[in-house]
Amino acid sequence: SIALAGLSTDIARARPRAVEILNYYRQGQWEASGETAHVGQPGPADASFAVGEPPAVQVLDNVKDLRQFKYHDHTADIIVHSWGATRAEAFAQAVVGMFNYMTDVDHVELRSVVEVEATGHDPLDLLYHLLDEFLFIFGTEMHVSRCVEILEFDEEKLRIRARGHGEKMNLKKHEQGTEIKAVTMHMMRILGPDLVMTEAGAGPRAEAGE
């Protein structure tokens, strides 16, 4: 494994190269091209699948299989808009929405789990690092999370621990959508009943026109 430390922007720039190095030693699960890693073809040992109707998936009682997100276009980026009954649920749906943009998660089965931890200096930074941790696991292990379970969410200490339920990406089984190479803070915001949080700070939602 590789641990990256530093500013969020520096980590985002360094991660494609770190992914390339890791996957060199993972014998080509992903093929490197230029400065970024791209999905490669599954090896001959992989089972044969046909993309068709979504599989029947049995979800654990403590896991919610929700689709509470939509997308907004923005120049060279895509904006994932998620929501939930709680902030934790909205954060989890932002992660699911990110994965769904890369492949239809309705075709992802619950075969394995991954766990991530993230911290931040404010709620926006915490969300950024949560998404970034899941994206890093996708880049190094090809794990796609269909459902995200928030195990711990400390809003005072700005720490979150989450578990992703899903399986490894397999191009014979899963349709390839658009690869997300990095998470950005640009236009990131958190909307509450009365307040909106942006990179510029928090303020009344009505004054922000939300």
Side-chain angles (χ1 to χ4, degrees), residues 59-156:
V59 181
L60 298 175
D61 292 340
N62 60 316
V63 179
K64 296 180 180 179
D65 191 21
L66 303 175
R67 303 290 179 270
Q68 294 175 176
F69 54 81
K70 60 182 179 180
Y71 304 108
H72 301 288
D73 292 325
H74 180 267
T75 319
D77 298 326
I78 187 70
I79 297 173
V80 181
H81 174 196
S82 67
W83 59 90
T86 64
R87 184 175 293 177
E89 188 173 279
F91 275 31
Q93 286 302 293
V95 177
V96 177
M98 177 180 70
F99 281 117
N100 189 70
Y101 195 72
M102 294 189 282
T103 187
D104 184 354
V105 294
D106 285 337
H107 291 269
V108 173
E109 297 183 63
L110 305 182
R111 296 179 177 272
S112 58
V113 299
V114 296
E115 288 194 13
V116 306
E117 290 189 20
T119 59
H121 58 74
D122 60 32
L124 279 176
D125 193 54
L126 181 61
L127 175 58
Y128 169 89
H129 283 291
L130 176 67
L131 291 165
D132 198 45
E133 290 297 329
F134 271 105
L135 186 61
F136 185 62
I137 287 180
F138 177 74
T140 55
E141 301 180 20
M142 295 180 66
H143 187 275
V144 178
S145 294
R146 173 190 176 121
C147 309
V148 173
E149 176 187 5
I150 302 300
L151 303 174
E152 181 183 348
F153 191 10
D154 190 329
E155 296 193 58
E156 290 187 3

Side-chain angles (χ1 to χ4, degrees), residues 181-197:
K181 295 177 180 157
V183 180
T184 70
M185 294 285 289
H186 181 57
M187 291 190 68
M188 185 179 288
R189 61 187 61 196
I190 297 174
L191 303 177
D194 303 310
L195 293 176
V196 56
M197 299 181 193

Side-chain angles (χ1 to χ4, degrees), residues 9-26:
T9 52
D10 294 334
I11 292 173
R13 283 195 296 267
R15 278 199 161 165
R17 184 59 177 167
V19 168
E20 185 178 336
I21 293 170
L22 282 170
N23 286 308
Y24 175 83
Y25 290 101
R26 291 178 186 272

